[in-house]
Amino acid sequence: MTFQLPVGIMGVINVTPDSFSDGGEHLETLSAVEAALRMRADGADIIDIGGESTRPGAAAVPVEIELQRVIPAVRELANSGIFVSVDTTKEAVAEAAIDAGAKLINDVTGFSDPEMRKLAADAEVHICIMHMQGEPRTMQRNPRYDDVVSEVRNFLADRAARCEEAGIEKEKIILDPGIGFGKTVGHNLELLRNCDAIANLGYPLLIGVSRKSFIGKITDVVEPRERVAGSIAAALFAASKGARILRVHDVAESVQAVAIWEAIASAPRRSSLSAG
């Protein structure tokens, strides 16, 4: 998988009525495809399509409904040459999405289902293993850890090993600590502060902080769409600690921020200042 930038951008498209930030905006296939094409034009390297909300308290979606929501958009985008990821926990949806052209399975359950691991191995697709304490309906009721960084790191290392044992190539595995998935504000901050400990496992690290509630709680910003600046600040900090893929809603702003951050980080040192 090749990204345009050393830090790649994954654009989020939710074809759901109830996602926390963009729910209801892209239920129609045409709307989802047009939004994804705009994200690609703005510089997204991957488009992540999801048909079931995983916000805290969200209701489960029958597989037939998820298929109806996701597959037409995946097929059109893949046919347009876009690197498509499918955000699903269901093996049937993942299989149909792969058949429609998806190249990455993004599973918030961390590939807990052996059949999902076998599917990914057989199809030779990329995978993203995410950590979540509990499940979306209950994950934020009372999340507890003795050491959140060590526990998340150990979970991801163990699950990556299981995926490799199932036949998935190490080069195709991405890890995600699951910011906001069964974590308090303090847990999220601790993971971001120490995400290099996970990056050091040797797999690309994906970080998804875009518009999330912990940003609103810290800044008193209620409306998710107004959390762009906080989202970019958190994402760039994660990039400085080893994150290599940023999962975002606001692609143009994120691409611009990453470009400036990378230019500063890679600028040659000079003994004297010059104009410019």
Side-chain angles (χ1 to χ4, degrees):
M1 178 166 47
T2 301
F3 298 115
Q4 292 180 336
L5 302 167
V7 174
I9 299 294
M10 173 186 277
V12 181
I13 298 289
N14 290 307
V15 283
T16 63
D18 56 347
S19 290
F20 82 97
S21 179
D22 59 349
E25 290 185 14
H26 307 305
L27 275 174
E28 299 297 326
T29 298
L30 179 60
S31 174
V33 169
E34 288 177 346
L37 291 174
R38 286 194 298 271
M39 285 183 172
R40 184 67 184 91
D42 286 339
D45 302 283
I46 305 169
I47 299 297
D48 191 41
I49 304 287
E52 179 179 45
S53 175
T54 52
R55 66 175 174 77
V61 173
V63 63
E64 296 81 6
I65 298 298
E66 192 173 342
L67 286 166
Q68 291 170 15
R69 291 175 178 176
V70 168
I71 301 308
V74 169
R75 182 176 293 109
E76 287 208 34
L77 293 174
N79 287 341
S80 299
I82 290 177
F83 191 105
V84 180
S85 164
V86 60
D87 182 355
T88 187
T89 64
K90 299 181 179 70
E91 190 245 346
V93 174
E95 183 175 18
I98 291 168
D99 290 342
K103 302 297 184 185
L104 190 157
I105 305 172
N106 184 12
D107 181 0
V108 300
T109 70
F111 286 79
S112 58
D113 182 357
E115 291 302 313
M116 188 76 97
R117 300 198 288 268
K118 182 178 185 303
L119 170 67
D122 291 345
E124 299 182 342
V125 294
H126 294 77
I127 67 169
C128 182
I129 303 169
M130 197 194 81
H131 174 276
M132 172 173 57
Q133 188 178 89
E135 49 91 20
R137 265 53 68 182
T138 61
M139 64 186 179
Q140 289 302 107
R141 289 181 184 173
N142 188 29
R144 291 178 178 272
Y145 301 86
D146 293 323
D147 182 334
V148 66
V149 176
S150 293
E151 290 175 48
V152 170
R153 185 183 190 278
N154 291 342
F155 170 89
L156 292 173
D158 175 74
R159 199 52 60 85
R162 294 191 192 188
C163 287
E164 288 189 57
E165 289 169 4
I168 301 170
E169 297 176 14
K170 181 175 182 178
E171 292 72 21
K172 294 183 181 296
I173 297 174
I174 299 163
L175 303 183
D176 177 358
I179 301 297
F181 284 79
K183 283 97 176 173
T184 64
V185 172
H187 294 145
N188 292 326
L189 296 179
E190 189 70 10
L191 282 167
L192 289 169
R193 191 178 301 119
N194 296 282
C195 62
D196 52 338
I198 300 171
N200 288 342
L201 289 170
Y203 304 88
L205 177 64
L206 181 149
I207 291 291
V209 293
S210 183
R211 301 183 181 180
K212 289 193 172 178
S213 63
F214 82 96
I215 296 170
K217 290 175 182 177
I218 292 170
T219 61
D220 293 325
V221 176
V222 176
E223 172 54 48
R225 292 177 179 279
E226 296 176 5
R227 300 172 186 161
V228 180
S231 301
I232 290 175
L236 290 183
F237 183 89
S240 75
K241 303 288 282 186
R244 284 296 165 261
I245 305 170
L246 304 178
R247 186 177 184 273
V248 307
H249 297 86
D250 305 288
V251 170
E253 295 87 344
S254 299
V255 167
Q256 184 181 107
V258 167
I260 297 303
W261 175 78
E262 289 182 337
I264 295 168
S266 62
R269 296 184 178 182
R270 299 181 181 179
S271 57
S272 60
L273 296 176
S274 59

